Amino acid sequence: MALRGEISGEGDFHIYGRFEGEIDVTGRVIAAAIVIAGKVRGNLSASTHLDILPSGVLTGTLKAGSFSAAEGSSVKGEIWLERAEPARVPETARRDVEEPR
């Protein structure tokens, strides 16, 4: 699903799909991946990655799995890079690898 336009209101905003346009909310913006090309003031959470393009400006707190900021962009605030939890290997699979037959 892809949407374009303007969104404003109070509360957190979760994006499931693709949104292009202006978002003006008082809460957090939460998405799998975020690309900033304009001005953002607030708290963002991206489960995979966040990219700031040369025209992008971020003022606020960012939590993401990875982050990149192009030359010319601006970032003011906190950046929290959080690794995804490593996949758990079942005990039986570990024994198969550790014990040659």
Side-chain angles (χ1 to χ4, degrees):
M1 177 188 304
L3 300 169
R4 288 184 181 194
E6 297 177 18
I7 294 178
S8 63
E10 296 181 15
D12 294 348
F13 182 63
H14 297 257
I15 301 172
Y16 303 102
R18 180 181 172 94
F19 178 83
E20 185 176 326
E22 294 184 26
I23 299 173
D24 182 9
V25 296
T26 58
R28 295 176 297 151
V29 175
I30 302 164
I34 299 173
V35 177
I36 298 174
K39 293 181 181 179
V40 174
R41 182 180 191 96
N43 301 323
L44 304 175
S45 180
S47 59
T48 58
H49 66 275
L50 183 135
D51 298 318
I52 303 179
L53 301 180
S55 59
V57 176
L58 170 61
T59 304
T61 300
L62 159 68
K63 291 183 180 181
S66 67
F67 165 76
S68 70
E71 186 175 339
S73 64
S74 173
V75 179
K76 296 176 186 174
E78 289 185 278
I79 299 172
W80 296 57
L81 296 179
E82 300 176 336
R83 286 187 239 186
E85 290 294 318
R88 295 188 64 157
V89 178
E91 188 64 34
T92 56
R94 268 188 258 158
R95 277 184 288 197
D96 291 344
V97 172
E98 294 171 0
E99 299 174 13
R101 296 185 180 179

